[in-house]
């Protein structure tokens, strides 16, 4: 089985020296990849520069990306040639459009015009006391996966912060439908420590629970890969 | 001589999953630290989580910081107890204040009010097509150094992008005065590759030139440390 795993977090450039980064160490994707390799599976790992990585392995290929646009062009051909996508990467949901002084925004008649501007300077000046950054939504990468390959098995990830179990499961169920995912791994940032990682693996009909990254990786192997 | 080196780039949180990061690998600070250690000097290195680091060494202490506020509280006592500060860290010049939907900003009567708001949600919602992030200037850390310790020898760094030699030197000279620095290492992002790193070490009366990170570190040792 050809398995595609994504890990780490994307970064969207503001200018040549600054960017907005989604925090993600890539640890969960690393643990999942190692579990799959240990079971004899082949893995293509799409990850980011700063994320942690598994040791090199004859059944492992690694592809590096940086931002959402780069992720989309990299992922499309890979999704079409793999059987499973385990999409644990934290993907930026907004990307910078234009950054300017607060005074200019305050004095503008039509704020919409800023949404069509671009910074031409390579390093935005830092003289004014306040600045304003306009951002636009990025394409939802996970929602493109089944358009690219309707028969791929898709495992999405949903990270919330400090919510109830019900809200976590409900959000996962919605994501299953919206993104035509087969499973959603739903977790809460407040329940992740260096030693533990509480999560639910949610499908349309089932809910499994795990308490560590190792358990999550075993659950994914048992439920999604082995019985596929 | 007690030498303090800073390296890497700070990150300012937008919320629990996103932050604005200054790109900086920490490589130059690492090379400078290694050069100083090889000459028998003792170094305290203040750096960030994702930056590259020298191997451990009996004359090296490493302190980790993340954002500007954290840098200031860490640096003040260290500046007071060291003889030299080589401040190569890329410090964020703006920090997020408040992020909200574009529509809310568009319909607001007084944009100033957004500068006093704070996001209470732990992960800012991602439903609207456009968002607006308000940012405020951070304190200029380098300008505080001589207030904390008037007798410390201060080497500041100035990174510009794609400017002329004259502009680079002029900016460095201004920075010498503004920040009461003894030297400014002025460099241009477009002249930094994996193998080369063109830079000028500028004092009130002298300008030295270097073409690699190794040469920069030797120049700093020869001009700033050895003859001090």
């Amino acid at each position: 089985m050809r398995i595609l795993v994504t890990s780490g977090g994307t970064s969207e450039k503001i200018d040549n020296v600054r960017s907005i980064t989604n925090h993600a160490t890539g640890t969960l994707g690393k643990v999942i990849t190692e579990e799959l390799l240990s079971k004899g599976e082949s893995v293509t790992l799409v990850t980011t520069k700063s994320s942690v990585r598994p040791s090199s392995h004859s059944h492992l290929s690694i592809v590096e990306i940086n931002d959402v646009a780069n992720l989309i062009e990299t992922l499309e051909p890979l999704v079409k040639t793999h059987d499973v996508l385990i999409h644990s990467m934290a993907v930026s949901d907004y990307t910078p459009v234009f950054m300017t002084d607060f005074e200019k925004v305050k004095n503008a008649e039509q704020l919409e015009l800023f949404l069509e501007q671009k910074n031409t300077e390579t390093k935005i000046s830092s003289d004014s006391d306040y600045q304003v950054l306009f951002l636009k939504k990025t394409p939802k990468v996970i929602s493109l996966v089944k358009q690219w390959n309707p028969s791929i098995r898709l495992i999405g990830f949903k990270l919330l912060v400090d919510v109830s179990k019900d809200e976590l499961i409900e959000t996962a169920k919605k994501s299953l439908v919206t993104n035509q995912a087969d499973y959603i791994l739903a977790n809460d940032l407040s329940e992740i420590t260096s030693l533990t990682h509480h999560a639910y693996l949610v499908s349309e009909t089932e809910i499994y629970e795990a308490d560590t990254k190792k358990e999550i990786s075993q659950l994914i192997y048992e439920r999604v890969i082995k019985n596929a």
Side-chain angles (χ1 to χ4, degrees), chain A:
Chain A
M1 196 171 302
R2 295 159 300 175
I3 305 174
L4 188 58
V5 177
T6 67
S7 74
T10 56
S11 281
E12 301 292 313
K13 267 189 169 188
I14 298 174
D15 61 17
N16 277 346
V17 299
R18 284 170 276 220
S19 63
I20 298 188
T21 303
N22 264 47
H23 305 171
T25 59
T27 314
L28 183 55
K30 174 179 182 277
V31 173
I32 292 169
T33 299
E34 287 167 342
E35 177 70 17
L36 297 172
L37 291 170
S38 79
K39 299 292 187 191
E41 304 290 343
S42 293
V43 179
T44 304
L45 176 65
V46 175
T47 191
T48 51
K49 198 175 180 178
S50 64
S51 65
V52 297
R53 294 164 186 215
S55 316
S56 61
H57 188 289
S58 56
H59 290 173
L60 172 66
S61 322
I62 296 183
V63 183
E64 193 177 294
I65 63 97
N66 48 52
D67 61 15
V68 175
N70 191 199
L71 175 64
I72 290 175
E73 64 187 17
T74 302
L75 221 46
E76 180 170 359
L78 292 174
V79 163
K80 289 177 174 167
T81 52
H82 284 74
D83 305 302
V84 179
L85 168 59
I86 301 170
H87 187 36
S88 74
M89 182 179 274
V91 181
S92 308
D93 38 17
Y94 288 91
T95 189
V97 174
F98 185 63
M99 186 161 168
T100 190
D101 294 356
F102 175 74
E103 291 299 317
K104 288 198 181 133
V105 176
K106 198 190 130 188
N107 296 324
E109 305 232 324
Q110 266 200 292
L111 294 192
E112 280 88 349
L113 295 177
F114 290 113
L115 303 178
E116 288 152 29
Q117 287 191 59
K118 277 190 182 171
N119 295 99
T120 50
E121 59 274 43
T122 44
K123 183 176 177 182
I124 297 162
S125 155
S126 51
D127 293 331
S128 61
D129 285 344
Y130 291 92
Q131 292 234 351
V132 182
L133 176 62
F134 294 90
L135 304 110
K136 71 169 178 211
K137 218 173 163 68
T138 55
K140 278 266 177 207
V141 176
I142 189 175
S143 73
L144 301 170
V145 172
K146 290 276 168 132
Q147 294 177 34
W148 290 333
N149 180 357
S151 66
I152 200 168
R153 188 164 283 234
L154 172 60
I155 298 95
F157 285 64
K158 200 83 204 176
L159 179 67
L160 297 178
V161 184
D162 218 7
V163 298
S164 66
K165 177 185 171 181
D166 286 352
E167 192 176 339
L168 203 53
I169 302 289
E170 195 193 327
T171 307
K173 293 251 179 192
K174 268 189 206 155
S175 183
L176 280 174
V177 178
T178 314
N179 302 307
Q180 299 177 262
D182 300 282
Y183 291 88
I184 296 291
L185 197 288
N187 49 172
D188 187 316
L189 193 60
S190 64
E191 297 181 324
I192 303 175
T193 69
S194 55
L195 293 173
T196 64
H197 190 141
H198 186 234
Y200 299 99
L201 182 65
V202 181
S203 74
E204 231 174 89
T205 52
E206 293 155 312
I207 298 175
Y208 304 100
E209 197 169 354
D211 285 314
T212 64
K213 289 184 173 57
K214 179 76 178 165
E215 281 180 29
I216 292 172
S217 69
Q218 288 168 335
L219 204 51
I220 289 176
Y221 176 73
E222 290 293 328
R223 299 295 154 192
V224 185
I225 309 296
K226 195 177 157 194
N227 303 320

